[in-house]
Amino acid sequence: MEVKYIMRLIINQKYFALRDRFMITHENGQPAYAVEGKLFSIGKKFYIEEPCGREIFFVKQRLFRFLPKWDIIQNGDTVAVYKGKLSFLTKRAKIVSKSFGDITIKGSVLGWTFRFFDQSGNQIAEVSKKILKIRDTYALDIFDTRYADIIMTAVIIIDALYHRGR
């Protein structure tokens, strides 16, 4: 049985930008989030904001690790940690959080599709990359809106890990 999404977000990134700044929209084109990367930093760092400019999360990459690890910070406190997992046939990760509960992420071998599962094993979201586009474009289907902010943040981390050769 296929689950119908409650919310669909579209993530279009711009090529050739001096620093990453782009909008994430609802499928009807209304702004949902803004993402802004820090220009001069060691390791990747970025802000997730509401369209009005209110910060939701600050995200920073932990460097010098065998497996990827990112801190997701809200109001100065680390509320979640994205942890890459070792896997040979799929791309796997976990978000560890007392605020949101642990979220398991399972991706395809090429990293074009990722599914998100809550602690009970229920699928809460799915993201797929559109491969025949000029710029990176993702469709994020969210099945449980309580997780919208943290899942959208994880998608930006996934993009930074697997699809950002620039």
Side-chain angles (χ1 to χ4, degrees):
M1 179 175 89
E2 185 174 326
V3 179
K4 177 82 171 117
Y5 66 86
I6 296 173
M7 176 191 305
R8 175 173 276 174
L9 299 174
I10 305 298
I11 303 166
N12 284 311
Q13 294 181 287
K14 297 178 182 175
Y15 280 122
F16 309 117
L18 186 56
R19 69 177 176 181
D20 286 338
R21 176 147 182 89
F22 53 93
M23 291 298 292
I24 296 166
T25 62
H26 293 281
E27 66 183 325
N28 66 4
Q30 290 290 97
Y33 299 95
V35 178
E36 183 170 339
K38 287 192 84 164
L39 184 56
F40 298 108
S41 67
I42 297 174
K44 293 189 183 284
K45 297 176 183 173
F46 57 88
Y47 296 92
I48 307 290
E49 302 171 342
E50 291 180 343
C52 65
R54 185 184 73 82
E55 182 180 313
I56 298 170
F57 295 123
F58 172 66
V59 182
K60 66 179 182 177
Q61 178 184 24
R62 290 194 199 173
L63 298 176
F64 311 114
R65 304 214 163 255
F66 177 69
L67 294 172
K69 196 175 236 186
W70 297 68
D71 292 320
I72 301 170
I73 300 163
Q74 189 173 54
N75 299 323
D77 295 322
T78 300
V79 294
V81 177
Y82 176 100
K83 297 179 177 185
K85 294 181 135 198
L86 192 58
S87 177
F88 297 105
L89 299 176
T90 61
K91 299 194 182 302
R92 296 172 82 66
K94 187 168 203 140
I95 296 173
V96 178
S97 173
K98 290 181 181 173
S99 302
F100 300 98
D102 293 351
I103 299 170
T104 301
I105 304 166
K106 297 178 183 177
S108 63
V109 174
L110 296 175
W112 301 118
T113 302
F114 288 85
R115 290 180 176 86
F116 299 79
F117 301 89
D118 66 13
Q119 294 179 113
S120 302
N122 300 313
Q123 186 174 348
I124 55 175
E126 179 174 311
V127 65
S128 58
K129 183 176 181 182
K130 306 302 179 195
I131 57 175
L132 297 176
K133 299 277 185 175
I134 294 173
R135 58 188 176 180
D136 288 351
T137 301
Y138 300 87
L140 171 57
D141 294 335
I142 299 173
F143 309 130
D144 188 336
T145 57
R146 294 176 295 172
Y147 299 99
D149 293 347
I150 194 73
I151 294 221
M152 195 282 312
T153 302
V155 170
I156 302 303
I157 293 170
I158 288 168
D159 180 61
L161 288 170
Y162 299 117
H163 301 128
R164 303 302 303 262
R166 54 192 186 282

